[in-house]
Amino acid sequence: MPLYEYACRSCGARFEVLQRMGADSTGVICPKCGGTEVAKQLSTFASAVAGGGSAMPCGAPNASACGSGGFS
Ligand SMILES: [Zn+2]
């Protein structure tokens, strides 16, 4: 399952949630304040490679195919 990054609109916390591909933010709850007003961020993959210089280090279209996951 891909790991999605969310930002809480109430407290500003950022957190990651494992969800099925294409899942929306329904049912996602901020772990810090318990708020349900959360916004899905575009991708942890994009920010992860931003510092590396290489856009597609593994040639895969998304992060879940790239690594083994498990960072958190
Ligand atoms: Zn929050």
Side-chain angles (χ1 to χ4, degrees), residues 9-55:
R9 296 185 196 203
S10 298
C11 73
R14 302 186 85 174
F15 54 98
E16 293 170 334
V17 181
L18 271 174
Q19 290 187 300
R20 277 184 291 228
M21 192 77 73
D24 63 20
S25 63
T26 304
V28 176
I29 296 172
C30 173
K32 292 214 169 150
C33 73
T36 55
E37 293 291 313
V38 297
K40 186 186 282 186
Q41 306 300 287
L42 273 189
S43 155
T44 54
F45 175 64
S47 57
V49 298
S54 174

